[in-house]
Structures are given as C-alpha cells and as structure tokens.
Amino acid sequence: MSRIRLGGSADADRATWAGPAFTMNGSGGIVSTSMTKAVDAIRGGTGSLDVVVLAASTPGAGSRTPECDAVMRLSGINSCTTWTLTKASDGNNAQANTDIRNAEFVYFVGGDQCRYAAWKSTTLRSSVQSVVAKGGGSGGGSAGHHINRPTCGYYLRSVTDVVADSNLYSGAPVTGC
C-alpha cells in the first residue's frame, strides 16, 4: 500500500458542491475534456478541489502517478492523491478513507475490476459513496468505469437516486470476481 500526494498539502475547503458529476472512460488514462467537465460541474465553476486516485497495482513503467500527473494539469485542482491498495484489507485503511471522504472526486484506475470488487466489503465503499452523495464525483478508466456503474452494486448503487440521468449507466453486473 502506498500514498503519493501532488499539489497542495492541505485539503481544499468547499462550502458548496454542485455535483454529482461522473467521468467514465472506456480505456486508457484521464480524458482531459471529460475530467474538466466533471471538475467544473462539482466546483460550480469556482474554487478548487481535491481528487483521490485509487489503483490496485503500481504502473509497470514511467510515473508512479500517471493519473494524478494528468489531473494536476487541469484548472481548479488543489491536489491529487494516488492510493495504491494491493490487498482487499487495504480498503479499511483509515488514512485512505479519510483522504477519500475529504476529496471531491474519486477516480478508479483501469485494470482488473475484480481487484476493486474485493474492496466492496470494506469501508472504502461507503467512503466513495459519501463523496458522490454530498455532490462530488467519481469515475474511472476501463475497470474503474465498470466498477462505478450502479449495476455492479459496488460503489454507486446506493447513490443513483441523486444522478440526474438514470440511464447514464447500463449494462450487466460484473460477475466472477
């Protein structure tokens, strides 16, 4: 398990949140245009926010924080923290859950969605749900996209009533995890 924070050392202080907002990428890393739209929607166009990136493994080459590197180039970002959680029990880490609950957006890196499903019985699940419920956002690339869909029942199912377009998510649940 590891934590790497880029940007401001103190969390942004937001009085109001204008979300929820989501960005679901089919593959690859951060898509700047969709992430900017989500960030701006949550910020209501003013102030800055904090992003937490969740990964189940470290990148094989290059930067240890490729998603945060991309996020930090966007306007309206105070900080981006990458948590690499390699065991299911890491989802109960107090500092990781505090960072998530204090963030305005949670991004799941692509990869093996079954590794993310292993976190569903940990406090991480309710931490992610709390961000969306208070008007923040969530999203991901590839596996992150799939694990966020309410049809998976893992992260967003209990907050779908606050999603303006209930048809935003569709598809079969992730099985075999």
Side-chain angles (χ1 to χ4, degrees), residues 13-177:
D13 186 19
R14 296 204 56 83
T16 60
W17 302 27
F22 306 93
T23 178
M24 304 296 177
N25 306 333
S27 64
I30 300 287
V31 175
S32 296
T33 53
S34 63
M35 189 67 174
T36 296
K37 287 179 182 181
V39 166
D40 287 345
I42 295 164
R43 302 183 312 118
T46 63
S48 63
L49 55 78
D50 302 296
V51 175
V52 168
V53 171
L54 297 173
S57 62
T58 57
S63 173
R64 292 185 60 210
T65 60
E67 291 78 14
C68 277
D69 295 345
V71 166
M72 291 304 299
R73 289 190 290 267
L74 306 176
S75 68
I77 302 297
N78 174 61
S79 72
C80 186
T81 304
T82 298
W83 274 97
T84 303
L85 308 173
T86 57
K87 300 181 300 198
S89 61
D90 291 346
N92 288 318
N93 178 275
Q95 182 63 55
N97 281 285
T98 296
D99 284 352
I100 292 166
R101 288 180 181 275
N102 289 340
E104 288 79 19
F105 196 93
V106 181
Y107 186 91
F108 290 78
V109 175
D112 182 355
Q113 61 212 32
C114 293
R115 298 196 61 191
Y116 296 137
W119 299 337
K120 71 181 180 178
S121 60
T122 68
T123 54
L124 185 142
R125 181 181 183 188
S126 62
S127 294
V128 172
Q129 290 171 338
S130 77
V131 171
V132 175
K134 63 187 172 187
S138 185
S142 187
H145 165 152
H146 293 292
I147 205 66
N148 270 287
R149 295 180 320 178
T151 53
C152 294
Y154 296 142
Y155 293 97
L156 299 182
R157 176 174 275 168
S158 71
V159 294
T160 55
D161 57 330
V162 300
V163 176
D165 180 3
S166 62
N167 295 319
L168 180 61
Y169 307 100
S170 62
V174 175
T175 58
C177 295

